[in-house]
Amino acid sequence: QVQLAESGGGAVQSGGSLRLSCAVSGITYRKKCLGWFRESTGQEREGVASVDADGKTHYADSVKGRFTISQDSSTNMLYLQMNNLKPEDTAMYYCAAEFSLEGRLCSDNGPSLDTLKLNPLDTVGQGTLVTVSS
């Protein structure tokens, strides 16, 4: 059973930084996409960043140049380094794993949530809250 557990959220001022962590367990398939998406009140869910099995990364335009996704295969951890945070980055951030061969979380056009959870193995964590004040 795939399990994802996020940590690292908190409250920061505009311009500050945070690093989110996601502990990944139970994944035995190499062909997967790991990523982060966010959800805030009154806004649609937004794919933020993702990394595929070959290490290729994908970012939403809104975070390019500010956020960096990385993974440590030795410790089964996924990270999201967030710099120069803005109030509009305030949201609940979720870690996600997608296994569909036709999945779009690792789309070259930017992380898409359209196909997340179509595969029964697809998993989303419980989320961690990020609050950025002006």
Side-chain angles (χ1 to χ4, degrees), residues 27-99:
I27 292 182
T28 57
Y29 301 100
R30 182 187 179 278
K31 192 66 175 178
K32 63 185 181 294
C33 172
L34 299 177
W36 295 89
F37 70 90
R38 63 189 181 187
E39 189 170 34
S40 58
T41 303
Q43 300 292 325
E44 285 190 13
R45 295 188 314 170
E46 179 187 22
V48 173
S50 60
V51 56
D52 65 21
D54 296 321
K56 186 176 181 181
T57 57
H58 312 268
Y59 295 94
D61 288 342
S62 59
V63 306
K64 280 181 181 176
R66 299 189 299 123
F67 291 12
T68 302
I69 189 171
S70 62
Q71 58 181 340
D72 185 336
S73 300
S74 65
T75 58
N76 293 322
M77 294 293 294
L78 181 72
Y79 300 102
L80 185 67
Q81 178 66 43
M82 306 185 296
N83 298 328
N84 190 22
L85 283 161
K86 305 175 181 180
E88 51 263 43
D89 295 318
T90 295
M92 187 72 80
Y93 283 73
Y94 297 89
C95 178
E98 184 176 61
F99 297 91

